[in-house]
Amino acid sequence: MNLKTFLLGTCSAVVIAGFAQAETLTIATVNNGDMVRMQTLTDDFTKANPDIQLEWVTLEENVLRERVTTDIATKGGQYDVLTIGTYEVPIWAKQGWLLPLDNLGADYDVDDLLPAIRSGLTADNKLYAAPFYGESSMVMYRKDLMEKAGLTMPDAPTWEFINEAARKMTDRSADINGICLRGKAGWGENMAFLTATSNAFGARWFDENWKPQFDQPEWKATLDMYVKLMNDAGPQGASSNGFNENLALFQQGKCGMWIDATVAASFVTNPKDSTVADKVGFALAPDTGLGKRGNWLWAWNLAIPAGTQKAEAAEKFVSWATSKHYLDIVAAKEGWANVPPGTRTSLYENPEYQKAAPFAKMTLDSINAADPKNPSVKPVPYVGVQFVAIPEFQGLGTTVGQLFSAALAGQMSVDDALAQAQTAATREMTRGGYIK
């Protein structure tokens, strides 16, 4: 072998070795705006980590939950990074399905994470997921339509006021609905909204002995109000509308009010996307005077499944995507109002963010006011504001969500939906050994 051949062979071996060492992370995520934006900003990560490539699987919320749950429960190994919610983290961590995040880096500053958000992602004093954005829920409304209706939105409205305002703001001839609320079936879609709302009415999923409570008057009052209000003041086809569908309606000027995730505030006030950006006001989630508001507590988080073979690279990505540095990247490209909210104390202490985001204080107040351990007026045996933190809830919540969506669509009565929900919940809790 001559020297030239030897050198060429050596260079080829180095190149091949370099390619062999490159890793591709498969990331499962939800098709929400902040997650979609993240995918456009990952050049910053890949430039710093040229040996890591990213492959995205972006799915609608209900589909994401189904596929990710199936994959991790069966140890399918399709994904290296998962986008999961506050509900899944402690349950999956306990089952050994997630890796603890022990090496997020010296600059990550775990202690800067909001305590209310961080606590829901921690098991046995270890962090098992990093929050990409955190949220509660609140009222977003058209100030111009509220004024036209002769009303003034209180900072802390009641459901009685919301009902009155929604009906007065409705103008079918102008294609304006007084209110847009989730109707799409799913434990994290319509049942997130309805469970949080039911807390304000004094309802609960189960009593202290895990007996289902859908046969109680508090749930009847909740569902009656919701169906009647949506029939009178909601959009057509509301039973098919989830977060993204209602966001689009509001941005198009077709909703007088929208009660949903605080994370939506930056989207409805962004003039690039919203036709009503300069007309939006905010208020706390409604109550009924019983001492609880219908504001939930949630975070979309990045976690690493225990079955991945690329844990080190995955943790590098999770650290980057949920870091202070990432917030700075978004701020530089999109403005401070559009950074992922609800995760870090330092963000809410940042004067630039306070100035750019008029919704910042209300978002933080709503997050801090949510009480997962005491979500309803009456005592409960479970943790969770808009969900029940038990493994059975994912299937049961979706079943009940389908029944309530059918009631909204007029396919069954409220009484029938509640009766079937009671039967389904009783069956599931008996099967799970919670009740006999």
Side-chain angles (χ1 to χ4, degrees), residues 88-365:
E88 292 96 345
V89 176
I91 295 174
W92 291 7
K94 185 177 180 180
Q95 292 171 320
W97 292 352
L98 301 176
L99 295 179
L101 301 178
D102 295 329
N103 190 27
L104 290 169
D107 298 332
Y108 187 78
D109 195 1
V110 170
D111 291 334
D112 186 47
L113 298 177
L114 291 173
I117 299 297
R118 181 180 174 183
S119 64
L121 310 178
T122 303
D124 297 327
N125 296 317
K126 293 183 178 181
L127 192 70
Y128 278 88
F132 183 73
Y133 70 74
E135 66 183 34
S136 186
S137 53
M138 64 182 177
V139 183
M140 293 160 275
Y141 68 96
R142 289 270 301 276
K143 291 185 286 187
D144 57 329
L145 296 181
M146 189 68 67
E147 181 180 356
K148 184 179 178 181
L151 299 170
T152 301
M153 174 69 81
D155 288 338
T158 63
W159 268 111
E160 183 179 7
F161 176 86
I162 295 295
N163 273 266
E164 177 190 4
R167 290 177 168 90
K168 287 187 175 180
M169 294 166 78
T170 299
D171 185 352
R172 303 292 192 199
S173 63
D175 199 18
I176 295 174
N177 308 285
I179 195 163
C180 293
L181 302 172
R182 296 189 189 192
K184 180 187 289 185
W187 70 265
E189 280 283 8
N190 65 336
M191 289 316 299
F193 171 77
L194 285 169
T195 299
T197 296
S198 77
N199 293 332
F201 281 78
R204 46 191 179 162
W205 272 74
F206 309 104
D207 68 10
E208 301 96 315
N209 298 312
W210 291 100
K211 181 183 178 182
Q213 297 293 290
F214 293 106
D215 58 355
Q216 297 301 301
E218 293 87 354
W219 264 111
K220 166 76 169 169
T222 302
L223 201 57
D224 265 339
M225 183 278 296
Y226 165 76
V227 171
K228 290 176 182 176
L229 176 60
M230 292 297 282
N231 284 337
D232 291 348
Q236 288 188 338
S239 61
S240 298
N241 292 345
F243 173 84
N244 283 326
E245 291 81 6
N246 283 327
L247 170 61
L249 286 171
F250 194 93
Q251 289 178 323
Q252 294 162 12
K254 297 182 179 181
C255 304
M257 292 181 289
W258 180 30
I259 303 172
D260 212 298
T262 52
V263 72
S266 66
F267 294 104
V268 298
T269 56
N270 186 340
K272 293 181 181 178
D273 304 310
S274 176
T275 63
V276 296
D278 60 342
K279 300 179 175 68
V280 184
F282 305 95
L284 294 173
D287 69 0
T288 63
L290 298 179
K292 291 289 182 180
R293 293 198 171 273
N295 57 299
W296 63 61
L297 183 65
W298 184 255
W300 276 115
N301 316 284
L302 299 180
I304 303 172
T308 182
Q309 302 300 310
K310 305 168 186 175
E312 184 177 347
E315 193 160 11
K316 285 183 181 179
F317 176 77
V318 170
S319 176
W320 173 83
T322 62
S323 66
K324 294 179 184 179
H325 172 66
Y326 178 77
L327 300 184
D328 290 338
I329 294 172
V330 178
K333 292 184 177 292
E334 303 285 345
W336 276 105
N338 295 303
V339 303
T343 62
R344 291 187 171 273
T345 299
S346 57
L347 178 64
Y348 290 89
E349 294 173 345
N350 184 330
E352 291 182 82
Y353 184 65
Q354 293 172 359
K355 182 180 178 180
F359 44 81
K361 184 178 185 303
M362 188 158 291
T363 295
L364 185 61
D365 289 347

